[in-house]
Amino acid sequence: MSEKTAIQIDNQVGELLKKNSLSVTGSRKKILQLFLEQPGALAHGDIERKAGEKFDRVTVYRTLQTFVDKGIVHTIPTADNSIRYALCKDECSEGHHHDHHIHFVCSNCNNTYCLDDVVTAEIKLPKGYSAEHVEVVVEGVCKNCN
Amino acid sequence: MSEKTAIQIDNQVGELLKKNSLSVTGSRKKILQLFLEQPGALAHGDIERKAGEKFDRVTVYRTLQTFVDKGIVHTIPTADNSIRYALCKDECSEGHHHDHHIHFVCSNCNNTYCLDDVVTAEIKLPKGYSAEHVEVVVEGVCKNCN
DNA sequence: TTAAAAAAGCAACACTGTTGCAAAAGAAAG
DNA sequence: CTTTCTTTTGCAACAGTGTTGCTTTTTTAA
Ligand SMILES: [Mn+2]
Ligand SMILES: [Mn+2]
Ligand SMILES: [Zn+2]
Ligand SMILES: [Zn+2]
């Protein structure tokens, strides 16, 4: 599959917003575009740098929070304490994320990837503990840097 | 095994500091005590609240950083982007942490535990990716809250 | 086109973490 | 125990991050 065209991305952006009953505004289109035109995850800072000249810092925060609430993006915790955001797959619905994939942070290029196809073995917890959610973050060297 | 006495903890604190060639100071003793007299992990805020009336905020930051550098404590990333700190096992040496255990965050009491005995299966990454470090954080209900 | 609802921008603020520097405390030696 | 040297602490100032209340602007829907 080749690179997506600007038109294709634009259509996808509109669809995504409508599907989630969100009004179509400049900041939402711009930020969603950023996610769609590249494969990895974005830190808040990245987004602010790329969209922030045009939009207020507060708007970026509120837009991302809206996307998380609606199940359009999900957050990825990292060791350096900076939240990353990545697009959810279609199955995520409002207030209920289904992202059970693991995340990979490249120590070289610092990009973060959702590895959707990696299956993780069930974890046997000690007696008395019950799991609700498991978060796996792998740090290493990515495909492009290897 | 019963609860540790104040004397026991005090001895342990002294030993730990000497073993790592750190001078024995009020803040280091106090903060190390906090870790030793309870099983879970501590957020920076916790420590600041419990030790901060006596010590400056900056001192707490610097003390924790020193402990991390020396391999006395290790950090635990969490979904809410607040770093937790927990005591390392004996094998950790300066600049080289060996904590390959998983971490458990209770969604009820909000305590964080190191689960040293849980073994995690090897993760099969896609071609081209190589792992250096794997971080597993399980969220659920802990032994005390179940 | 208009009215109602939602979002954006702005200012102000709280919280977190960092740095430089002077004062205080600790370690080592005599 | 006292002196000297080294390390740590406290303080002040600051940068970065995220939040809130309120007003203006934009979007939506009738
Ligand atoms: Mn993901
Ligand atoms: Mn641990
Ligand atoms: Zn890379
Ligand atoms: Zn609990």
Side-chain angles (χ1 to χ4, degrees):
Chain A
M1 192 156 71
S2 63
E3 193 120 311
K4 275 173 277 187
T5 67
I7 297 265
Q8 283 178 314
I9 288 181
D10 205 61
N11 286 342
Q12 212 176 339
V13 164
E15 275 175 39
L16 254 171
L17 290 175
K18 277 183 220 148
K19 197 171 77 181
N20 289 280
S21 18
L22 290 174
S23 39
V24 180
T25 69
S27 69
R28 286 177 183 166
K29 280 195 285 185
K30 176 64 182 173
I31 292 175
L32 220 38
Q33 261 180 43
L34 291 180
F35 281 110
L36 288 165
E37 68 195 16
Q38 58 87 51
L42 295 170
H44 188 281
D46 298 330
I47 298 165
E48 211 178 301
R49 265 185 295 281
K50 288 175 183 168
E53 295 161 18
K54 194 110 182 20
F55 304 103
D56 192 84
R57 236 159 49 80
V58 178
T59 300
V60 176
Y61 279 110
R62 291 200 267 229
T63 302
L64 284 171
Q65 188 53 56
T66 301
F67 287 171
V68 171
D69 290 347
K70 288 286 185 178
I72 299 174
V73 304
H74 61 279
T75 58
I76 306 167
T78 57
D80 69 338
N81 219 21
S82 76
I83 299 180
R84 313 271 173 120
Y85 299 84
L87 276 182
C88 289
K89 304 302 159 199
D90 300 325
E91 316 88 54
C92 290
S93 60
E94 186 157 352
H96 193 221
H97 289 270
H98 304 251
D99 288 286
H100 293 314
H101 56 269
I102 77 163
H103 292 109
F104 187 94
V105 180
C106 179
S107 52
N108 183 248
C109 67
N110 207 32
N111 273 96
T112 302
Y113 306 93
C114 299
L115 299 185
D116 301 288
D117 300 329
V118 175
V119 287
T120 55
E122 196 67 22
I123 291 175
K124 279 240 166 45
L125 293 171
K127 209 166 181 197
Y129 292 85
S130 57
E132 281 161 5
H133 182 72
V134 179
E135 192 74 53
V136 178
V137 179
V138 180
E139 193 222 326
V141 183
C142 81
K143 203 169 46 178
N144 300 326
C145 294
N146 244 335
Chain B
M1 194 154 71
S2 63
E3 191 118 318
K4 274 171 280 188
T5 66
I7 298 266
Q8 282 177 315
I9 287 181
D10 205 61
N11 285 343
Q12 213 176 340
V13 163
E15 275 175 41
L16 254 172
L17 290 175
K18 276 183 223 148
K19 196 171 75 181
N20 288 281
S21 19
L22 289 174
S23 40
V24 180
T25 68
S27 69
R28 287 178 182 164
K29 281 195 286 186
K30 175 65 181 175
I31 292 175
L32 221 37
Q33 260 180 44
L34 291 179
F35 281 109
L36 287 166
E37 68 196 16
Q38 58 88 50
L42 295 170
H44 188 280
D46 299 330
I47 298 166
E48 211 178 302
R49 267 184 295 283
K50 288 176 183 166
E53 296 160 18
K54 194 107 182 20
F55 302 102
D56 192 83
R57 237 162 45 81
V58 178
T59 300
V60 176
Y61 279 109
R62 291 200 266 226
T63 302
L64 285 171
Q65 188 53 55
T66 301
F67 287 173
V68 171
D69 290 345
K70 288 287 184 177
I72 299 175
V73 305
H74 62 279
T75 58
I76 305 167
T78 58
D80 70 337
N81 219 22
S82 75
I83 299 181
R84 313 271 174 120
Y85 298 84
L87 277 182
C88 288
K89 305 303 159 196
D90 300 325
E91 315 88 52
C92 289
S93 59
E94 185 157 351
H96 193 220
H97 289 270
H98 304 249
D99 289 286
H100 293 314
H101 56 270
I102 77 164
H103 292 109
F104 187 93
V105 180
C106 180
S107 52
N108 184 250
C109 67
N110 207 33
N111 273 96
T112 301
Y113 307 92
C114 298
L115 299 184
D116 300 288
D117 300 329
V118 176
V119 286
T120 55
E122 197 66 22
I123 292 175
K124 278 241 166 47
L125 293 172
K127 209 166 179 202
Y129 292 85
S130 58
E132 282 161 4
H133 181 71
V134 179
E135 194 73 55
V136 179
V137 179
V138 180
E139 192 222 326
V141 184
C142 80
K143 202 166 50 176
N144 299 326
C145 294
N146 244 335

